[in-house]
Amino acid sequence: MGNTFVTFGEIMLRLKSPGHERFFQSPALEATFGGGEANVAVSLSLLGKESRFVTALPANAIGEAAVREVRKYGVDTSGITMTKNGRVGIYFLETGANQRPSSVVYDRAESSIALSKPSDFDFKSVLADAQWFHITGITPAISQDAADSSLAAMKAAKGAGATVSIDLNYRKKLWNYGKKAPEVMRELVKFADVIIANEEDIQKCLGIEAKVDVTSGELDTDVYKDLTEEVKRQFPNVSVVAVTLRESKSADHNGWSAALSGKSGFYLSKHYEITDIIDRVGGGDSFSAGLVFALSEYGDDEQYAINFAVAASALKHSIDGDFNLSTKAEVEALCKGDGSGRVQR
């Protein structure tokens, strides 16, 4: 087993209306890049881990720009397949405010990764030095080929002796190639050690019911203890289940915490009131990266691991763009209780 943290998935062109404007309220869209597994790779690199991002992109100027974007944060891009087929997927983002929710429109059909088959990736070599492999439930939702590639990658990671984590990340707009999410996801989860999810993900991806109303803004943590125990009962290969607990008060005000059913017990994280959200897209990915980092670094201290993950994600809500540009020192400072926002001189 090596020391590289590998992620596999799609990176997209992100086109966002300026500030809190509606789409085309002004004739401009801000162009950046983002996508679940790319976001995790960037965050892990900034936290100090050797990270590698694997994907398929078209061999054109836009595909090359996406590669440059993740490489500039220290991510190894040698496992990216440049292809003649497909395109860079796009997602359009309109940032909500107060009672108006944020809105995402996908334009990602026929993307390079959706058209790529497992044989287009050399998973054995890109995972040969892997300590950890991370994927999300977004990638297997894109296409049957992407689902097959996801499964092949997870099997190769297990073969290399890596720890495997999956963020279930249910996206109802994507599951439209003929398979229902549980048909695909329950098979993938058999090869995971760590599951990251919210309560909706667990219900929609695994078909495991929770008595939770996600829209009420109030959370009953006992429900999560039962829910995570049921996930482990159905999937005995899974040793850690982390559930993010987001209380949506409005588009800019969320309560943010998490629960973790680990190897040594059930833990609740510190709770943050995030009252002025700059950008919540990528918030779940920043949590995943924080958890992967902390479990690999402080594995025995699961209470600290879940606190670190939540703190990393709380900081991401203050940063524009998909990537969490927070450092390990900044996350540790927040874990220790410095959330004042005072100028550091």
Side-chain angles (χ1 to χ4, degrees), residues 268-286:
L268 287 172
S269 76
K270 200 168 160 182
H271 181 276
Y272 294 96
E273 284 294 324
I274 307 175
T275 52
D276 185 17
I277 294 173
I278 303 301
D279 191 343
R280 65 164 273 185
V281 178
D285 303 320
S286 60

Side-chain angles (χ1 to χ4, degrees), residues 81-146:
T81 298
M82 303 305 282
T83 172
K84 293 176 185 164
N85 299 326
R87 54 183 281 249
V88 176
I90 300 171
Y91 84 92
F92 297 86
L93 173 65
E94 182 183 275
T95 302
N98 299 319
Q99 283 68 44
R100 174 172 61 85
S102 295
S103 173
V104 168
V105 176
Y106 289 122
D107 174 21
R108 61 199 290 181
E110 308 289 304
S111 66
S112 295
I113 196 166
L115 300 178
S116 295
K117 295 180 165 31
S119 56
D120 294 323
F121 304 97
D122 188 354
F123 286 126
K124 193 167 183 188
S125 71
V126 297
L127 289 160
D129 60 347
Q131 178 181 341
W132 199 293
F133 176 71
H134 179 78
I135 195 166
T136 77
I138 297 171
T139 306
I142 300 169
S143 68
Q144 184 63 60
D145 283 333

